[in-house]
Amino acid sequence: MIQIFRPAVIPFALAIALSIPLPAAVLADPDPEPWSERAIREDVDITALAASGEDPIAVLQPLGKRLFAAKFTTLDGAGRPDATGAIVPTKARRRSHLPFQRLAGMDANACASCHNEPVDGGAGAFTANVFVSEGFESADFDTIDPQFSNERNTNAIQGAGLIELLAREMTADLRRQRQDVLAKARGSGDAAKVLLETKGISFGSLTAYADGTLDVSGLDGIDDDLTLRPFSQKGVFASLRQFTVNAMNDHHGMQASERFGAAWTGTDDFDGDGHADELTPGQVSALVAWQATLPAPTRRADLPETWRQAAQRGETLFGEVGCSSCHIPELPLDSLVFQDPGPFDTAGTLRQSDVAGPLALDLGTLDWVKALPRDDQGRVLVPLFGDLKRHKIADAANDTFGNELLAQRFVARDVFMTAELWGIGSTAPYGHRGDLTTLNEVILAHGGEATESRKAYSGLEEPDRKSIIAFLRSLEIAE
Amino acid sequence: MRQAGFLVRTLLTVAMPACAAFADDSSGDTSGGGSVAPVPVFVEEAQSAGINHVYDGAWEFFVGGGTAIFDCDGDRRPDLFLAGGKNPAQLFRNASPTAGPLKFEPVDTGLSDRQSASILGAYPLDFNNDDVLDLVLLRLGENLLLEGKGSCRFDVANRALAFDGGREWTTAFSAVFEPDLDFPTLAFGNYVDRSAPGSPWGTCHDNFLFRPEKTGDGDVSYREATRLSPGYCSLSMLFTDWNRSGEPALRISNDRQYYRGGEEQLWAVPPGRPPRPYRKSDGWQHLKIWGMGIASIDLDVDGFPEYALTSMGDTKLQKLDAGSDETVPVYQDVAFDLGITAHRPYAGEDLKPSTGWHSEFQDVNNDGLWDLFIAKGNVEAMPDFAAYDPDNLLMGQWDGRFTEAGGEAGIGLNRRGRGAGLADFNADGLLDIVVVNRGAPVSLFRNLGQGTADNPKPLGNWLAVDIRQPGKPNRRAVGAKISVRTGTRSMVKDVQVGAGHASGQSGFVHFGLGVAERANVRIKWPDGDWSHTYRVFANGHVIIDRGAEKARLWYPE
């Protein structure tokens, strides 16, 4: 017999249109009591907002802040009894008797319950580690054996709006280079090769052929589709929006309709908890807006003189020993307009083609952005200390960062996105598992492509090594 | 708190089970917004695309009306060959701008006037292993094997291949590369033997099987035909590995209008041995339908394909019986269970039964669920069957069922459909539809996704896969299986030559990926070897060469 899935459910709005009798509860509670335990009370019509000409930041930021800190409850639809934490909507093989579960999740009911050091949106302690595996289909795991998951420390989100804007510009630039080399090959009838580079960062090579085919085996540090995915320790998510939709399901069982809704799953209650369309596009936009406008980390301005001098010396050494070849101090950004939805998301994350027009969040209106330096072309210099590129970071001689057994989203287990070091002084413990307590330890853990830099660091006299620590500890998330 | 006009308090929404109205509709009229899966919008633009073509003719051309969709000029875009019946067949080169309106330019086929007339159907394949697609033409009279020469030029190769095209009324075709044979085995299905006494009743012609013979210089010849007797007026045939044995059998769908004592057929074609029909003693069950077109897909990915069989009245959907096994071809009809019978028009006032022809499983909304297209149309003026009989677009739903959406999608024209095919003509990731109509212009539907003609918009993510066996016979890997996995779901599609109604395709194989932005692709090559897993990203074309470490990508201009 053909497999018959669970009965479909219909959207609430459709039920109204069809005059289907609904339980009284459906229409009840439009205005919850002040003591209500519901965390979600507002929504935003982003179509109207985009058309209004109003500053979307002012509208979305406060709601996003509340949603980020909200402790979602079962009254909101928290929990996903019938669904796994997988990015692609996936049914659990059977329900867990535990609504919370540290491995297969849901493992939290608030974003800020992990992203909270030193402030909301920040990093998390080892106790806030998460377990990453797309393969979770059931909650049967009672082990942290890495063959079932990769354990990851919580990333800080401060400055993520600028990171995504950099990634978008780099993606567009790389795709232009792809288009050009294809046109060259087609025009000449011969194979053509291009060394991909954007914002001064090399991403390997592409070879195009006259028939429009591409050999992508020369790519380095980026996915074959030339989408620069800057988010997660692994660098596998393209946008804050995509990551938000992923995380809201994985960690909280709050399913966004743009991925888990009826269009893509046949039901508006994919997780089977009795709540339809748990997160609207407007609520996701609010979360995105709040994260995208989080002030970028800064440097401590009130350092004692000894520390200031050490940090200054350390910054110089940081460059001299080669750290800055990947942890690039700053990258130039052409445009500060953050469109939501973004240009490179695919189905399952709201796309620009899904809306009449995207919201335009002008980050340039934010004071902390205005304070950033600009280059002689007027471009904002984003002080990320990163290159938005993936690198092999472990080897047999130094396998500390090679401690995962699962590849993630096509990226090998010993390859990670260069960590942006802005804010590193506020985000201990370190490493993708958050199991290194000092900066010295995490530097010494570098292997693979970073071997020479690590050796150079090791070869420094102790005061010089300490000065590099002094420099790194001056990079803080403002409280 | 700020309270702008777009900031609204939320209502608590509670999930509701689907209402019965969506669960089933036995009337055949299930249009009207019943599909929970998104329904793409199509716009018919044959005329503006430059395709002016009509399939027509006398009784002999009540059937047929096929199209071959394949790349004849090496630019990897699908071109179109259209059978014309009494009218000359035409070949059109695809000149559609990427993601733009469809555009085709007529190309001289190189056929004589006589050769390009009386054509009922066409199937592309590479029968001489030169990696240039060839074309098999089904004709009223001599069938033709056209050797592709590149640049959309063809030479008739019957003589060179020692192929006797016969004089029959040929209406069906399939081809397969049998184990250990370097060249394809060709099966031709024939219709009524008009010269037999008592014709047309009970005078179905035998079908023919041509096995390749290697000549001294390494080429192929098709000197000898094996009769597949009895023939029951076949209108569609397909070599298919129904029992995942690695040995494809030949399924033939036959028109009960003219046979006596006939039935649907399945022929075992054991390598190196004569074909033999499965009989009742083999478990094969007697089934009489007006068999017009076969569509095959493995809906539940159990390794055993399902078969949609179009007919007059209800479409069948055959699934290997749960109590059966790999040695006994016992099928149950699950068409009603899955809402796929499409037995009468979904629009209009006509309650008479439908007449189904070409059928094809594809994913037109890229949600990862197979949809079923059926070309519909009265044979000519049969009074007991619906006159207005629009083509079906049965959208796959997440509950495993299908819901009619032809009207909503905009393909419900008042034309008598025959052969057809779905392909992404403008390389935008949305499958378009071409339908050859009897006595009316060809329909060419551009898929606009959720947008408009001026502003098409994508639906789900997608992947187009082409597979090749460089340096080997059977370059296009006929008989291979492409497996695409996203999350915990798998979709599989076989690379086949045959089925449909007089219409075949070769080129990129399309998969909808829904909300997955990447997929793992494995190939089961025709000899049974599985490839390693190719990791590919959504929304692009990939080419997998056997043995290659990585897939190549292809970008349209």
Side-chain angles (χ1 to χ4, degrees):
Chain A
M1 187 59 205
I2 295 289
Q3 185 179 357
I4 304 293
F5 294 93
R6 293 182 334 97
V9 297
I10 54 176
F12 171 73
L14 189 55
I16 294 294
L18 296 173
S19 300
I20 300 167
L22 300 174
V26 174
L27 297 172
D29 206 15
D31 196 10
E33 307 88 346
W35 57 88
S36 168
E37 291 176 283
R38 281 177 57 192
I40 295 184
R41 300 177 182 216
E42 302 143 297
D43 193 7
V44 177
D45 181 344
I46 52 173
T47 303
L49 177 57
S52 70
E54 287 238 11
D55 175 11
I57 294 176
V59 176
L60 294 171
Q61 204 180 38
L63 175 56
K65 181 176 183 178
R66 285 193 288 277
L67 287 172
F68 196 89
K71 292 184 177 176
F72 300 111
T73 71
T74 52
L75 301 176
D76 302 303
R80 45 176 169 77
D82 284 347
T84 74
I87 291 165
V88 175
T90 303
K91 287 288 183 187
R93 280 187 221 147
R94 57 177 168 273
R95 289 188 168 205
S96 168
H97 65 289
L98 301 169
F100 279 96
Q101 214 259 30
R102 287 292 295 143
L103 280 166
M106 70 173 195
D107 56 3
N109 70 333
C111 306
S113 69
C114 294
H115 291 278
N116 55 27
E117 291 188 354
V119 292
D120 279 3
F126 186 85
T127 46
N129 278 5
V130 296
F131 297 84
V132 177
S133 173
E134 284 181 275
F136 283 137
E137 285 182 76
S138 64
D140 295 346
F141 302 104
D142 56 1
T143 172
I144 56 167
D145 186 324
Q147 70 177 297
F148 295 121
S149 66
N150 295 328
E151 183 176 358
R152 299 272 174 78
N153 194 224
T154 301
N155 269 342
I157 306 169
Q158 275 75 12
L162 297 180
I163 296 290
E164 182 166 344
L165 287 178
L166 282 170
R168 290 179 186 181
E169 288 184 359
M170 294 165 83
T171 296
D173 193 13
L174 293 171
R175 290 185 177 190
R176 267 194 299 274
Q177 294 171 49
R178 178 177 70 193
Q179 196 175 353
D180 290 347
V181 74
L182 279 164
K184 186 177 176 186
R186 279 190 162 110
S188 69
D190 295 322
K193 186 174 181 178
V194 62
L195 299 176
L196 294 169
E197 185 183 307
T198 178
K199 296 191 189 292
I201 298 160
S202 164
F203 288 94
S205 66
L206 273 182
T207 303
Y209 297 91
D211 64 354
T213 57
L214 269 185
D215 178 356
V216 293
S217 58
L219 290 179
D220 181 24
I222 192 167
D223 290 323
D224 292 349
D225 62 353
L226 294 189
T227 300
L228 198 157
R229 295 178 166 86
F231 295 121
S232 87
Q233 315 240 22
K234 205 74 171 174
V236 289
F237 302 116
S239 68
L240 284 169
R241 188 164 197 112
Q242 181 192 23
F243 189 83
T244 299
V245 173
N246 296 348
M248 293 299 287
N249 172 63
D250 184 11
H251 299 309
H252 314 322
M254 293 295 296
Q255 300 198 317
S257 58
E258 62 199 68
R259 184 175 309 155
F260 296 88
W264 303 123
T265 64
T267 169
D268 56 10
D269 182 26
F270 185 77
D271 59 8
D273 61 2
H275 289 270
D277 294 330
E278 292 161 354
L279 283 175
T280 67
Q283 288 153 351
V284 176
S285 283
L287 280 161
V288 168
W290 185 73
Q291 294 172 83
T293 55
L294 276 177
T298 55
R299 297 187 187 217
R300 266 185 73 169
D302 58 347
L303 293 176
E305 183 57 21
T306 51
W307 188 347
R308 192 193 63 76
Q309 288 180 8
Q312 193 172 11
R313 165 81 177 142
E315 185 167 7
T316 303
L317 288 168
F318 182 81
E320 288 177 2
V321 299
C323 302
S324 63
S325 62
C326 294
H327 296 285
I328 296 173
E330 56 199 17
L331 292 178
L333 178 63
D334 290 305
S335 171
L336 291 166
V337 177
F338 185 98
Q339 291 188 334
D340 175 51
F344 299 116
D345 277 315
T346 62
T349 303
L350 198 72
R351 298 163 292 187
Q352 293 190 346
S353 58
D354 296 324
V355 296
L359 298 164
L361 285 65
D362 186 355
L363 305 190
T365 62
L366 303 171
D367 290 340
W368 62 268
V369 176
K370 291 175 184 168
L372 291 173
R374 292 181 179 250
D375 66 8
D376 54 6
Q377 299 173 50
R379 300 180 298 180
V380 162
L381 296 172
V382 181
L384 75 167
F385 292 95
D387 60 359
L388 304 182
K389 181 178 173 182
R390 293 192 295 248
H391 299 271
K392 185 173 185 292
I393 196 65
D395 53 35
N398 198 345
D399 62 355
T400 307
F401 287 147
N403 58 353
E404 295 189 345
L405 288 186
L406 298 177
Q408 184 186 5
R409 296 177 82 72
F410 299 174
V411 182
R413 43 191 285 260
D414 51 3
V415 173
F416 288 87
M417 174 69 80
T418 301
E420 293 99 39
L421 297 185
W422 58 0
I424 187 80
S426 305
T427 61
Y430 309 109
H432 56 256
R433 190 168 172 263
D435 53 3
L436 299 167
T437 60
T438 67
L439 288 164
N440 182 59
E441 289 163 9
V442 74
I443 295 169
L444 293 176
H446 282 58
E449 295 176 40
T451 298
E452 292 308 312
S453 301
R454 186 251 301 159
K455 284 181 178 173
Y457 169 81
S458 302
L460 294 174
E461 297 296 325
E462 187 176 2
D464 287 340
R465 291 201 304 271
K466 282 185 173 178
S467 71
I468 289 181
I469 305 301
F471 159 62
L472 293 174
R473 290 214 61 206
S474 73
L475 305 177
E476 285 196 344
I477 295 170
E479 296 187 43
Chain B
M1 185 186 72
R2 187 182 180 84
Q3 275 290 5
F6 20 75
L7 191 60
V8 293
R9 290 183 183 279
T10 58
L11 288 176
L12 179 64
T13 55
V14 175
M16 295 284 297
C19 69
F22 286 179
D24 181 33
D25 188 327
S26 59
S27 72
D29 180 3
T30 52
S31 62
S35 176
V36 175
V39 177
V41 177
F42 289 86
V43 59
E44 203 287 311
E45 52 187 30
Q47 193 174 7
S48 61
I51 292 183
N52 183 12
H53 183 86
V54 174
Y55 178 82
D56 211 347
W59 172 61
E60 288 86 347
F61 303 111
F62 285 8
V63 296
T67 175
I69 301 173
F70 68 113
D71 173 24
C72 66
D73 58 2
D75 67 356
R76 298 188 186 277
R77 290 172 177 269
D79 305 301
L80 268 181
F81 180 91
L82 300 169
K86 74 169 186 180
N87 298 325
Q90 292 193 79
L91 179 63
F92 292 89
R93 191 197 308 264
N94 188 347
S96 309
T98 300
L102 303 185
K103 192 74 189 166
F104 287 85
E105 297 165 348
V107 184
D108 181 12
T109 58
L111 296 175
S112 69
D113 290 348
R114 190 186 64 80
Q115 289 167 331
S116 65
S118 301
I119 295 175
L120 291 108
Y123 288 82
L125 83 158
D126 179 12
F127 55 62
N128 58 2
N129 291 329
D130 65 354
D131 209 20
V132 178
L133 282 171
D134 310 305
L135 203 52
V136 176
L137 300 186
L138 315 184
R139 297 179 71 245
L140 180 69
E142 184 186 25
N143 297 321
L144 299 176
L145 300 183
L146 302 187
E147 182 184 351
K149 307 301 284 185
S151 303
C152 298
R153 298 291 297 180
F154 298 89
D155 284 347
V156 175
N158 287 26
R159 183 184 297 253
L161 300 173
F163 170 72
D164 177 2
R167 302 179 56 189
E168 293 77 24
W169 179 0
T170 303
T171 44
F173 177 77
S174 187
V176 70
F177 283 76
E178 293 187 74
D180 302 323
L181 293 184
D182 287 351
F183 295 95
T185 295
L186 314 178
F188 290 85
N190 297 318
Y191 205 47
V192 174
D193 182 353
R194 294 165 301 156
S195 62
S199 175
W201 314 109
T203 60
C204 296
H205 210 291
D206 286 345
N207 301 316
F208 293 114
L209 186 81
F210 292 83
R211 280 182 154 142
E213 295 175 37
K214 229 174 187 172
T215 61
D217 54 6
D219 290 335
V220 61
S221 80
Y222 290 102
R223 283 187 302 128
E224 216 167 297
T226 302
R227 276 182 183 269
L228 304 177
S229 184
Y232 292 131
C233 294
S234 64
L235 286 176
S236 186
M237 59 200 334
L238 176 65
F239 281 106
T240 172
D241 187 5
W242 67 273
N243 59 353
R244 62 183 184 192
S245 64
E247 180 189 304
L250 182 62
R251 179 180 262 269
I252 308 178
S253 197
N254 297 311
D255 185 2
R256 65 179 292 177
Q257 184 77 10
Y258 294 117
Y259 63 63
R260 287 188 186 138
E263 59 179 351
E264 295 290 284
Q265 291 175 296
L266 181 67
W267 289 76
V269 188
R273 294 166 54 199
R276 64 167 186 83
Y278 280 89
R279 303 184 191 282
K280 193 171 182 182
S281 57
D282 300 314
W284 184 247
Q285 292 172 311
H286 186 73
L287 176 65
K288 287 174 68 172
I289 59 173
W290 291 270
M292 309 258 195
I294 302 172
S296 167
I297 200 77
D298 186 358
L299 284 172
D300 51 3
V301 202
D302 63 353
F304 302 109
E306 280 71 48
Y307 303 95
L309 309 174
T310 54
S311 180
M312 301 173 82
D314 58 318
T315 298
K316 307 292 183 190
L317 184 62
Q318 293 199 321
K319 175 171 178 54
L320 200 61
D321 191 89
S324 180
D325 63 31
E326 297 173 19
T327 63
V328 186
V330 179
Y331 285 84
Q332 56 169 316
D333 181 8
V334 297
F336 186 81
D337 299 330
L338 300 191
I340 214 168
T341 52
H343 51 283
R344 67 185 188 213
Y346 54 82
E349 299 300 315
D350 204 335
L351 297 180
K352 293 171 190 168
S354 262
T355 307
W357 300 87
H358 182 89
S359 57
E360 186 172 334
F361 285 101
Q362 292 284 5
D363 186 352
V364 295
N365 58 356
N366 291 331
D367 63 352
L369 303 171
W370 296 113
D371 312 307
L372 179 62
F373 170 83
I374 305 174
K376 288 278 185 70
N378 196 294
V379 172
E380 177 64 4
M382 291 184 80
D384 293 336
F385 290 85
Y388 169 50
D389 197 2
D391 302 334
N392 296 97
L393 190 61
L394 291 144
M395 303 297 300
Q397 308 293 318
W398 284 96
D399 62 1
R401 295 171 50 83
F402 291 78
T403 298
E404 179 60 54
E408 191 180 344
I411 66 163
L413 303 187
N414 187 11
R415 293 175 175 174
R416 286 172 299 192
R418 290 294 189 268
L422 286 82
D424 183 5
F425 291 116
N426 59 354
D428 65 351
L430 291 163
L431 289 174
D432 311 298
I433 305 173
V434 59
V435 188
V436 180
N437 299 298
R438 175 175 161 72
V442 161
S443 303
L444 184 64
F445 296 105
R446 174 159 63 111
N447 190 337
L448 308 173
Q450 56 179 335
T452 63
D454 293 333
N455 187 22
K457 292 183 173 181
L459 285 162
N461 297 323
W462 56 276
L463 181 68
V465 184
D466 192 1
I467 60 172
R468 302 293 174 101
Q469 301 193 94
K472 286 178 176 287
N474 189 9
R475 298 275 179 89
R476 308 281 172 145
V478 175
K481 185 186 295 294
I482 302 173
S483 170
V484 174
R485 191 165 180 83
T486 59
T488 57
R489 294 188 73 239
S490 289
M491 294 161 277
V492 294
K493 198 155 201 200
D494 296 321
V495 177
Q496 295 170 313
V497 178
H501 182 74
S503 303
Q505 300 179 27
S506 181
F508 283 104
V509 178
H510 188 93
F511 292 88
L513 299 184
V515 297
E517 65 166 349
R518 59 196 80 199
N520 288 299
V521 179
R522 292 186 74 198
I523 311 298
K524 185 182 183 186
W525 296 103
D527 62 6
D529 284 355
W530 278 96
S531 75
H532 66 266
T533 299
Y534 291 89
R535 296 166 160 184
V536 298
F537 286 85
N539 303 327
H541 297 76
V542 301
I543 301 164
I544 295 175
D545 294 317
R546 185 167 185 168
E549 186 186 346
K550 282 186 78 102
R552 287 185 289 151
L553 309 185
W554 177 73
Y555 287 86
E557 279 189 284

